[in-house]
Amino acid sequence: MEPDDSPSPETPPATDGGGLVRPVSPDDETPTWAERKARTTGLARLTYEYFERARYEDQTLRQASTYVERDVLGFPTWPHETVRNASIASFFVGMILFLSATMPPHIGPPADPSTTPPVILPDWYLYWSFGLLKLDPLNPELAVLGGQKLMADRTFGVVANLVVVGIIAIVPFLNKGSARRPVEQPFWAAVGIGGVVFAFSISVLSVQNLVPMDAKLLFDLTFLLPIVAGIVAYAVLKTMREGYTYDLNRRYYRLRPPK
C-alpha cells in the first residue's frame, strides 16, 4: 500500500459558532503582551461578537426545542408589578407624612424689608452660578481704554455663566462614543471629573465669606483643583485601560491569563 502523499487538511480556525473567527492561544503557550495587544479589536467589535454568539446559541436552542411556546422570564404588570410599585410609593409617602408631622419646619421671625441681611446666598444648587459672578479678578483691564474694563464685573459674571453652560451643552455633541464606563474613554471621563470638581470649588468660592481661608488662595484653588483632579483621573484610568481591555479579551476569547 502506497503512502498517502496528499496534504492533510488544515485544522479550521476556531470560531464563536456564528462564523466569526476568534484567536485562541494554544494550551501550552502564554500570550505575550505584544500578542495580546495585537489581538485587541476594540470594545465595539468585542460586543458585536458577544451578542452574535448569544444570538447563534439562542437560535440553535429554538431549533432544537420541542416546545411550542417557550417560558417567558418575567412577571405580569397586574398584579405583581402594580402591587410592588404601589407598596414602594406608599412607603415613601408614609415616610414624608411622618417626618412632616413629627418634625415641622421652624418658623422664624418675619422678614424686615428695611434691613439687608449680612449674607445673601441663593439655594445651594445655584452656588456654582453665584460663584461665577465673583470672577472680578479675571475681568481684564485694557490699556487702550486707559485701564478701564471692557465690561462691568456683573456683566462679566453673566457672560461666564453663558460660557460654562455652553460648554456643558456642547460636550455631548463632541463626545459621540458608545462607551459606558469611564475606563473606556479616559479623556472624557477626566473632563467630567474636572467639571464636577470645578462646580464644587466654584461653589465654595461663592461662600468665601464663610470659609476660613485666605481669599486669594481660595481663588487660586478654585481653578487649580479641577485641573489636578482631571490629570490624576486621566492617568489612573489610562493605566487601568490596558488591564480592562485584556479582561474583556479573556472573557470573550477565553485567553489564558499571563503567569
Side-chain angles (χ1 to χ4, degrees):
M1 179 180 295
E2 296 181 359
D4 187 7
D5 296 335
S6 60
S8 60
E10 296 182 358
T11 303
T15 62
D16 64 350
L20 299 174
V21 179
R22 55 182 176 89
V24 180
S25 59
D27 295 337
D28 57 345
E29 295 183 6
T30 300
T32 61
W33 179 87
E35 292 175 348
R36 289 191 279 108
K37 197 71 174 178
R39 294 193 185 103
T40 302
T41 57
L43 181 63
R45 179 65 180 177
L46 295 177
T47 306
Y48 168 77
E49 295 181 5
Y50 175 81
F51 284 103
E52 184 67 18
R53 171 81 177 262
R55 183 198 62 78
Y56 175 81
E57 293 180 351
D58 183 75
Q59 181 180 359
T60 304
L61 291 176
R62 286 178 179 269
Q63 294 175 353
S65 177
T66 58
Y67 292 94
V68 179
E69 296 181 359
R70 300 185 65 190
D71 296 335
V72 179
L73 299 178
F75 297 98
T77 303
W78 174 264
H80 300 79
E81 296 292 336
T82 304
V83 173
R84 185 193 65 175
N85 295 339
S87 301
I88 296 175
S90 300
F91 171 77
F92 283 104
V93 170
M95 289 298 298
I96 293 175
L97 295 177
F98 173 77
L99 294 176
S100 62
T102 56
M103 294 184 295
H106 175 69
I107 300 179
D112 187 1
S114 62
T115 60
T116 302
V119 179
I120 301 177
L121 294 176
D123 294 330
W124 64 269
Y125 49 82
L126 294 176
Y127 278 2
W128 65 271
S129 180
F130 191 66
L132 292 174
L133 298 176
K134 297 186 176 182
L135 299 181
D136 304 346
L138 297 182
N139 193 359
E141 298 178 356
L142 302 180
V144 295
L145 298 179
Q148 300 295 326
K149 295 182 179 181
L150 183 62
M151 63 182 70
D153 292 337
R154 294 182 179 180
T155 307
F156 183 79
V158 173
V159 173
N161 274 269
L162 295 177
V163 171
V164 171
V165 173
I167 293 175
I168 296 175
I170 203 176
V171 164
F173 297 94
L174 298 177
N175 180 19
K176 298 182 180 180
S178 58
R180 293 175 176 264
R181 299 170 180 84
V183 70
E184 297 171 10
Q185 288 188 340
F187 173 77
W188 290 109
V191 171
I193 293 175
V196 172
V197 175
F198 177 72
F200 177 79
S201 59
I202 199 69
S203 299
V204 176
L205 181 65
S206 66
V207 292
Q208 56 183 347
N209 296 333
L210 305 178
V211 179
M213 184 181 296
D214 183 66
K216 295 183 179 180
L217 178 60
L218 181 61
F219 188 86
D220 295 337
L221 292 178
T222 301
F223 299 93
L224 290 178
L225 288 181
I227 298 176
V228 174
I231 294 176
V232 172
Y234 178 79
V236 172
L237 294 174
K238 193 69 174 179
T239 56
M240 295 172 56
R241 186 175 183 179
E242 180 181 347
Y244 172 78
T245 304
Y246 173 65
D247 290 340
L248 283 180
N249 288 332
R250 184 176 59 179
R251 184 183 308 168
Y252 294 139
Y253 294 155
R254 298 180 182 178
L255 295 176
R256 296 182 60 190
K259 294 181 180 180

